[in-house]
Amino acid sequence: MLPLLRYRSSTLNGVMMKPCGGRFMSVRPAEKDASKIVSARKKVTIQRLRALAAEKIPITVLTAYDYPTGLRSERNDIDICLVGDSLAQVALGYDSTTRLTLEEMIHHCKAVSRAVKTPMLVADMPFGSFHAGLDETVRNAVRLVRDGCVEAVKVEGGFEVVPAVERLTSLGIPVMGHVGLTPQRHTALSGFRVQGRDATPGVAIFRAAQALQEAGAFSVVIEAVPHLLAGYITQQLDIPTIGIGAGSETSGQVLVHDDALGVWSGHKAKFVRRFAEVGVTSNEGVAAYARAVRSREFPSEVESYAMNAGQWEEFEKLTAPDSNSGP
């Protein structure tokens, strides 16, 4: 239960009014140190990620879209918090990640950044934000870092985005690559299909990952590829790989927050595991709330406020029809 603040005493028509016990409703900003959870963990840096990969300790990555979801990464053992463009669907109700705008992404990044202090904070560059030339790409990446308060950006694609990765990293903006299934291009790929099942496209994915490393990417996401291919790429690269639907041999794993916690009610991909059923519990809670309100079971007397002793009788006197004390 949230702690309760106190109102200052006030007067109404000359009568001193005080809330019972000085308490009032629990809708209030969180405590200033709410995100400063006592932890032995140090701030996750690129150097730390490389060390984890070198020591074969799997890197944990989870998406977040707002302050509450960011706090879940901050309070638990998450190394990278990714503000993914999947927020287009799970948070904004769009039918595709390609609908997401840069302004919307920045808005959500700022919210997440208020919670995330220990994990490395990375943001997807939305569709269209890195397609109109290198100067435009730099401007948009700078906005994500400066205005969105993120520490690095993620760019989907292979050889075609290498110039952008080179330019951004040369300016000190860390870049995470993304190969295999690239959701922003799902229409061109004829849907959300596994990539690299055959040797030739598998080699292309491997070469793309190599090119991104050479361009300066500090890590690369490998999505929806056979586990043998993902394992081979991981062995050949010097930078950490983050798998999603790519088996257990990558340097780390990422899942969409709403998939992992059972919030999302849409299609469940083969590689998704539910670690909680928040959606079910939330629906049950909303239904129970509605029933309690309809039946007047809520709020109960203990959930209601009382007037100070003797003040109700005084109120009745002041509002009696024959009272001359009223307005």
Side-chain angles (χ1 to χ4, degrees), residues 106 109-110 113 121 143-151:
I106 290 172
C109 287
K110 289 168 68 176
S113 73
L121 184 56
R143 288 204 61 202
L144 284 167
V145 173
R146 183 191 62 205
D147 302 336
C149 305
V150 304
E151 298 169 284

Side-chain angles (χ1 to χ4, degrees), residues 33 83 106 110 121 137 143 161 186 220 270 307:
D33 61 350
V83 186
I106 290 172
K110 289 168 68 176
L121 184 56
T137 298
R143 288 204 61 202
V161 301
H186 69 276
V220 61
K270 177 182 180 179
M307 294 185 74

Side-chain angles (χ1 to χ4, degrees), residues 41-49 52 59-60 77-80 117-121 151:
R41 292 202 303 156
K42 295 182 179 180
K43 171 64 184 169
V44 177
T45 63
I46 292 175
Q47 182 179 15
R48 174 58 178 163
L49 296 173
L52 288 172
I59 297 168
T60 57
D77 194 18
I78 300 300
D79 298 310
I80 300 176
K117 307 303 177 186
T118 305
M120 186 170 189
L121 184 56
E151 298 169 284

Side-chain angles (χ1 to χ4, degrees), residues 56 202 205-206 209 222-223 225-253:
K56 307 297 183 183
I205 293 172
F206 168 51
I222 305 175
E223 180 168 359
V225 305
H227 68 93
L228 290 176
L229 175 59
Y232 179 82
I233 294 173
T234 300
Q235 292 172 1
Q236 297 302 311
L237 295 185
D238 296 323
I239 60 176
T241 60
I242 306 299
I244 177 167
S248 62
E249 298 173 45
T250 51
S251 307
Q253 299 291 326

Side-chain angles (χ1 to χ4, degrees), residues 196-280:
R197 285 188 182 273
D198 296 324
T200 298
V203 169
I205 293 172
F206 168 51
R207 299 299 184 202
Q210 282 184 314
L212 290 168
Q213 174 179 269
E214 293 170 3
F218 72 90
S219 177
V220 61
V221 170
I222 305 175
E223 180 168 359
V225 305
H227 68 93
L228 290 176
L229 175 59
Y232 179 82
I233 294 173
T234 300
Q235 292 172 1
Q236 297 302 311
L237 295 185
D238 296 323
I239 60 176
T241 60
I242 306 299
I244 177 167
S248 62
E249 298 173 45
T250 51
S251 307
Q253 299 291 326
V254 60
L255 277 180
V256 170
H257 169 279
D258 289 30
D259 281 338
L261 299 189
V263 180
W264 176 245
S265 59
H267 173 71
K268 177 180 175 294
K270 177 182 180 179
F271 58 78
V272 169
R273 182 186 297 182
R274 304 284 197 217
F275 293 89
E277 290 295 343
V278 174
V280 173

Side-chain angles (χ1 to χ4, degrees), residues 157 178-183 189 193-196 205 208 221-225:
H178 187 144
V179 298
L181 172 61
T182 48
L189 296 173
R193 299 173 178 272
V194 177
Q195 304 295 303
I205 293 172
V221 170
I222 305 175
E223 180 168 359
V225 305

